[in-house]
Amino acid sequence: MLARLARWSFRRRRTMVFAIWLPLVIGLSVLGGVAGTGFTSSQSLPDSESKNVQDALQNVGSGERAGDVAQIIFTAPQGTVDPQVRQAMTSFFERVDEIAGVEVTSPYSEQGAQFTAKTGTIAFAQIAFAKRTQAQYIELSKQIRGLAPPTEAVPGLRIEYGGQAFAVFAFPQSELLGILAAIIILLLAFGSVLAMGLPVGTALFGLGGGVALVGLLSNVMHMPEFSTQITAMIGLGVGIDYALFIVTRYRENLHKGMDPEHATVEAVDSSGRAVLFAGITVMISLLGLFAIGIEFVRGLAVAGATGVLVMMFAALTLLPALLGFVGTRIESTSRAAAIAISSFVVLSIIGFFSSLGVGVGMLAGLAICALVMVASFLPFGRSLRTPLPHPHDKPRETQFWYRWSRFIQHRPWPAFIGGVSVLVVCALPLLSIRLGFGDTGNLPESQTARRGYDLLAEGFGPGSSGPLILVSTDPTANTQSVAGVDRVLAADPGLAFSSPGAEVAPGVWLWQAYPVSSPQDEATTELVARLRTDELPTAGIQVDVGGFTAGSIDFANYLAGRLPLLIGSVLILSFLLLMAVFRSVLVPLKAVIMNLLSVGAAYGVIVAVFQWGWGKSLFGIGKEGPVEAWAPMMLFAIVFGLSMDYEVFLLSRMKEEYDRTGNNTEAVADGLAATARVITAAALIMVCVFGAFVLGENRQLKLFGLGMAFAVFIDATVVRMILVPATMELLGGRNWWMPKWLDRLIPRVSVEGHHVLQTVVDPMDESDREPVSV
C-alpha cells in the first residue's frame, strides 16, 4: 500500500501538492475562520469537598463566591483609614462591584473588618467573581484596573492586584524558535539547503492543516485555549522527524544508484513504515490521557493526536511529491540558496536577541531570501546559480556513529551499568515528589499579581492570597454548632484569621479562613487535610472545605491517583504494538523499560530544581514549591511518545539489517550508524523547542520546558546511543526471540518493507501504469 501510494504521489506530484494539499490547508483555514473556534478554559472539579462547596454556592445563586477570588491591595504611609484614601478607594470598590458577576468585600465594611493589617498601612478588598474563560479573565482584569483612581490624586497611595486573574500568562514563540533551530541544525547535519528544506516545508504544511483542524474540532468537543500551542509544539517536532527519516533514506537510495522514483518508493516503503508505526505509538501515548477522566485533558489528547496524524499523512503523501520535484538536486546547493538561507538565519538570530523579536527577524530574513532568489534569475545573477561543492558521506564503516557503536558493543557491561546508573541517579528525587499548583509568589516582580502577593504577605502573611471557603448545608446546623466551627477555626495554629459563620441562604452557612502559609506550601495541604479529617468533624455538623486553594489540592490528589492508570495503559498498548511490529518479546520489553527510566529521570530533575530548589537561580525560579500537578501526566504522554518515536526509528533499521544479514552485531552497528545522525538532529531540534519555555518568566512553563528538554536529551544520548546498543549486544540473537504459540496469536505487520522492483517507465510518460520487473 505504501509503495503504491508513494509511486502515485511521485508521479502525480502536481496534483498532490496543488490540487490536494494546498487547497486542503487553505480550505481548512478558511473554514476555521468562518466557523470560529470554541476553545474554553473552564473546567469542572472532580468529585471532592471543593466541588461540593462550589455546587452548594451555585445552587443558592452565589455564583461569584463559587468562582474565583482575587484582591485589590492598597497601601498608604498615612494609613488606609485616612479620609482621602478611604474616599478614593471606597468609590473605586463601588464601581468594581457594579460589574456583572463580580462581588466586592471592602475593608471598610463590617464583613471586611479583618482586611486591614495591624500596622494600618496595608489593606485589601476581596473580589469574588464567577468562572470565566482565559480571554474573559484578561478583559475583566483590564476593566477593573481601568476603574482605579489615579494614584497621583492621593499622595503615597499605591494600588496592586492579587490573584491568578491578574497574572499574565503567555506562551513563548516556541514554534518559531523550533523552525529556526531546525534550519540551523539540519544545515549543519546534512550540508544541503534542499535536504533541510524538505522536512521543514513538509512540517509547515502539516502544521497549517493540523492547527486549522484542531480549531474546527474545538467547536464539537471541550478543548482548552492552549490546545493549538500543544498541537503546534508536538506536531512540529514529529513532523520534522518523520520527513527527515524518509529524506535520509531517499538520499541513501540515490547513493546506491537508484533513480529518484525508485528511491522515493523504496524510502516510503521502508522508512515510511517506521513513520507509520511511530506515529501510531505517539498517538497511543497521547490518547492514553483519556484515562485521566477529565474533559479538558481529553481535548488536549485529541488536539495533540490530531497534529501527529496530519504530520504522518504529510510525510507519507506530500513528501514523495516534493521529492519528485527535487529529484537528484537534493545534494546540490546554489550560491543563491546558501546566501539566502544564511541571511535568514542571521537576521532571525538578531531578532531573537533584540527587542524586535524572532518573528520580525524571520520576516526580514524572508524578504532578503526573496530578493536574492529573484536576483539569481537576472542576467547578472548567473554566478548565484553556480552550485557549491557538496561533501559526500564517508563509508559507513569510517563514520563516527558506526565506530561509536562498535566501541559500546566491545564494552557492553560497563556501558549498560553506566547508562542505567545515570538514569537511576537522576530519577531518585522522584521518590519525594509533591504535586500541587504554584501561587502568584512565583511570578516576576514586573507583574502586579506578584507585587500584590508581596504586599499581602507583608501585611497579613503569605496565606492571605489563597483563602479557604467552608460551607455547610447540614440540616442540623444551628447557631450553637456554627459557633463550634468558629472555635475550631480560631484554635487552629495554621490559620491566621477567619470570618465567623454566616447564613448566606436558608440552610447554607459560609466561612472564610486565611492560612498562615502560602497556597503552594506543604503546610497548607496539611492544614486542609487536618481540618477535614480531624478538627471540623468535632463541631458536630458536616462542613466542606473548598475554594481555589483547596480545589487545587483536590485536583492535584485526583491527578496523582489517575497517573498510574495512564502509565499502565500506555505501557501495555505500546508493548503490544511493538511486539507485533518487531516479532519479539525482549525488544519491546526493553523499549518500555528504558523509556520509562528516561521519563523518571526527567521527573527527578524537575523535583530537584523546582521542589528542592537546586540551581533555581540558574533557571530564574523565585522559590521552591510543588511540581505542577498537570506536568507529570503531560510529560509522560509527550515524552514517552517521542521516545518510542526514536525507538521505532532505531530498532526498525536494526531489524531490517538483521533480517538481511542474520548477524546481530553488524545489524546493531549498521542500524545505529544509519539512524544516529537523524535521531540526534531531531532530538536537538526538540530540545531547542522545549528549551524556549525555560527562557520565559512563567514557572509552570519553565517546569514543563525543562522536563521535556531534559527527557528528550537524556533519551537521545544515554538511552539511544549507549543503552540500546549495549543491551542489543548483550542479548544477541535472543533480541528477536518470540514463543511459537505467541507468534501465531500476534498479527503479522512488517516494519522493514519489501524489495521494490525497479520499474521501466518512459521518462516522458507520467501516467500510472503497472510496474514491469527487470
Side-chain angles (χ1 to χ4, degrees):
M1 180 190 68
L2 290 181
R4 291 195 300 270
L5 180 62
R7 185 177 292 110
W8 190 93
S9 299
F10 186 94
R11 294 177 177 178
R12 303 292 187 182
R13 46 188 173 272
R14 292 178 181 84
T15 301
M16 179 61 72
V17 175
F18 300 108
I20 297 179
W21 268 99
L22 198 58
L24 180 65
V25 173
I26 295 175
L28 286 174
S29 300
V30 171
L31 187 60
V34 173
T37 59
F39 296 118
T40 176
S41 61
S42 61
Q43 61 187 45
S44 58
L45 289 169
D47 291 337
S48 59
E49 286 197 22
S50 299
K51 191 174 189 302
N52 295 341
V53 169
Q54 187 180 73
D55 293 343
L57 293 176
Q58 286 178 338
N59 290 337
V60 298
S62 185
E64 293 84 4
R65 289 186 176 132
D68 290 332
V69 173
Q71 301 86 24
I72 300 175
I73 311 104
F74 59 103
T75 180
Q78 63 269 41
T80 57
V81 295
D82 177 80
Q84 196 175 6
V85 174
R86 179 168 184 156
Q87 180 181 359
M89 296 306 297
T90 300
S91 176
F92 178 29
F93 299 148
E94 290 173 351
R95 291 194 296 272
V96 173
D97 195 54
E98 293 173 358
I99 300 175
V102 175
E103 180 181 295
V104 178
T105 304
S106 168
Y108 303 119
S109 65
E110 182 179 352
Q111 295 87 349
Q114 294 176 305
F115 295 170
T116 301
K118 294 179 180 179
T119 60
T121 58
I122 301 175
F124 72 92
Q126 182 167 284
I127 314 171
F129 43 86
K131 289 284 187 181
R132 286 167 162 79
T133 65
Q134 189 65 33
Q136 290 171 334
Y137 276 132
I138 295 173
E139 184 61 32
L140 177 64
S141 65
K142 290 180 179 178
Q143 188 177 2
I144 291 175
R145 298 180 71 173
L147 298 173
T151 53
E152 305 84 35
V154 182
L157 177 62
R158 173 186 161 203
I159 302 174
E160 301 292 353
Y161 305 85
Q164 297 289 348
F166 294 96
V168 178
F169 183 87
F171 274 87
Q173 296 175 310
S174 60
E175 299 89 358
L176 296 179
L177 291 173
I179 294 171
L180 179 60
I183 292 173
I184 297 173
I185 292 169
L186 295 182
L187 276 176
L188 293 175
F190 299 100
S192 168
V193 171
L194 286 175
M196 172 276 298
L198 286 173
V200 174
T202 304
L204 289 178
F205 263 94
L207 185 63
V211 169
L213 187 57
V214 167
L216 290 172
L217 288 174
S218 69
N219 292 295
V220 296
M221 68 180 302
H222 186 109
M223 285 187 176
E225 292 175 327
F226 54 89
S227 296
T228 53
Q229 284 88 350
I230 295 294
T231 303
M233 178 182 64
I234 300 173
L236 185 64
V238 300
I240 292 175
D241 286 3
Y242 297 164
L244 181 59
F245 199 55
I246 294 175
V247 168
T248 302
R249 191 59 172 261
Y250 172 77
R251 296 176 70 200
E252 288 182 15
N253 294 337
L254 289 180
H255 295 166
K256 294 176 181 177
M258 297 183 189
D259 62 84
E261 180 179 343
H262 188 193
T264 300
V265 174
E266 199 279 335
V268 173
D269 194 42
S270 54
S271 295
R273 291 171 182 253
V275 165
L276 180 64
F277 291 113
I280 292 173
T281 309
V282 175
M283 287 191 288
I284 286 174
S285 183
L286 290 170
L287 293 176
L289 290 170
F290 271 64
I292 297 297
I294 297 178
E295 194 175 21
F296 89 94
V297 176
R298 289 196 291 267
L300 280 179
V302 171
T306 300
V308 174
L309 182 66
V310 174
M311 290 296 183
M312 190 170 63
F313 279 125
L316 297 176
T317 59
L318 176 63
L319 182 58
L322 297 178
L323 290 173
F325 286 112
V326 172
T328 58
R329 292 172 297 169
I330 194 169
E331 302 290 359
S332 63
T333 299
S334 67
R335 293 181 186 273
I339 294 172
I341 201 66
S342 300
S343 302
F344 177 82
V345 169
V346 170
L347 289 174
S348 299
I349 294 175
I350 291 174
F352 174 71
F353 287 104
S354 68
S355 59
L356 295 175
V358 66
V360 175
M362 283 186 166
L363 289 176
L366 288 175
I368 297 297
C369 288
L371 290 175
V372 172
M373 297 310 292
V374 169
S376 67
F377 289 99
L378 298 177
F380 62 82
R382 181 175 299 176
S383 63
L384 293 175
R385 298 195 294 272
T386 305
L388 297 174
H390 180 74
H392 295 287
D393 291 336
K394 300 177 182 178
R396 182 168 295 175
E397 292 74 12
T398 63
Q399 293 178 11
F400 169 78
W401 289 113
Y402 182 90
R403 289 185 282 112
W404 171 259
S405 179
R406 299 313 300 264
F407 174 81
I408 296 295
Q409 288 175 284
H410 288 152
R411 304 161 183 82
W413 277 113
F416 173 75
I417 295 172
V420 170
S421 300
V422 170
L423 294 178
V424 170
V425 168
C426 289
L428 282 177
L430 171 62
L431 299 176
S432 65
I433 190 172
R434 180 171 69 89
L435 300 182
F437 290 90
D439 54 40
T440 52
N442 296 293
L443 297 173
E445 294 183 0
S446 58
Q447 291 198 31
T448 184
R450 167 61 188 276
R451 297 193 297 270
Y453 174 91
D454 292 340
L455 268 181
L456 283 174
E458 179 185 346
F460 305 91
S464 55
S465 61
L468 305 176
I469 298 177
L470 289 73
V471 169
S472 176
T473 56
D474 194 325
T476 64
N478 52 40
T479 54
Q480 183 177 359
S481 57
V482 168
V485 175
D486 292 342
R487 289 191 294 271
V488 167
L489 298 179
D492 193 297
L495 291 173
F497 61 93
S498 60
S499 64
E503 193 172 17
V504 295
V508 180
W509 295 84
L510 175 72
W511 295 262
Q512 289 194 45
Y514 293 80
V516 173
S517 52
S518 72
Q520 72 174 24
D521 283 353
E522 189 172 6
T524 304
T525 302
E526 295 171 351
L527 167 67
V528 171
R530 185 169 65 247
L531 288 173
R532 287 172 171 174
T533 58
D534 298 334
E535 298 179 355
L536 289 175
T538 63
I541 57 173
Q542 174 63 40
V543 180
D544 292 325
V545 182
F548 182 82
T549 300
S552 299
I553 294 171
D554 290 338
F555 196 67
N557 292 336
Y558 175 83
L559 292 179
R562 303 289 290 188
L563 191 59
L565 183 60
L566 163 66
I567 295 174
S569 61
V570 170
L571 290 180
I572 292 172
L573 290 174
S574 299
F575 174 80
L576 292 175
L577 178 64
L578 291 182
M579 186 165 58
V581 169
F582 295 113
R583 315 305 300 172
S584 167
V585 173
L586 295 180
V587 165
L589 183 62
K590 287 194 296 96
V592 295
I593 290 175
M594 287 190 289
N595 289 349
L596 202 57
L597 280 173
S598 63
V599 173
Y603 286 174
V605 168
I606 60 176
V607 168
V609 175
F610 290 86
Q611 185 175 318
W612 295 355
W614 291 6
K616 60 182 180 180
S617 59
L618 180 64
F619 298 100
I621 302 165
K623 59 179 182 179
E624 57 270 18
V627 172
E628 299 294 327
W630 56 267
M633 68 171 184
M634 291 302 297
L635 277 172
F636 175 80
I638 298 175
V639 169
F640 189 85
L642 292 176
S643 298
M644 296 303 287
D645 224 16
Y646 302 147
E647 187 80 12
V648 170
F649 289 164
L650 179 58
L651 291 179
S652 64
R653 194 58 183 265
M654 290 181 178
K655 181 68 161 58
E656 181 180 344
E657 296 296 331
Y658 180 78
D659 289 344
R660 184 175 61 86
T661 65
N663 187 321
N664 181 77
T665 300
E666 286 298 325
V668 172
D670 287 341
L672 186 65
T675 58
R677 185 168 59 167
V678 177
I679 292 175
T680 303
L684 280 175
I685 293 169
M686 297 305 295
V687 168
C688 292
V689 171
F690 297 130
F693 288 86
V694 182
L695 302 177
E697 295 181 338
N698 187 277
R699 180 182 186 269
Q700 297 183 45
L701 292 183
K702 283 178 178 289
L703 185 149
F704 180 70
L706 180 62
M708 292 290 295
F710 182 81
V712 172
F713 171 78
I714 204 76
D715 185 81
T717 53
V718 175
V719 174
R720 302 295 149 233
M721 304 311 161
I722 297 178
L723 286 179
V724 169
T727 54
M728 296 291 284
E729 179 66 22
L730 288 172
L731 292 173
R734 292 184 295 273
N735 283 300
W736 315 110
W737 171 80
M738 175 179 271
K740 292 182 179 180
W741 64 268
L742 187 59
D743 186 60
R744 290 191 296 269
L745 291 176
I746 300 297
R748 288 188 174 273
V749 292
S750 173
V751 75
E752 301 85 26
H754 58 276
H755 178 65
V756 181
L757 296 175
Q758 175 68 40
T759 60
V760 178
V761 179
D762 183 351
M764 301 301 294
D765 180 13
E766 291 251 317
S767 63
D768 264 21
R769 59 177 70 184
E770 289 300 314
V772 181
S773 61
V774 294

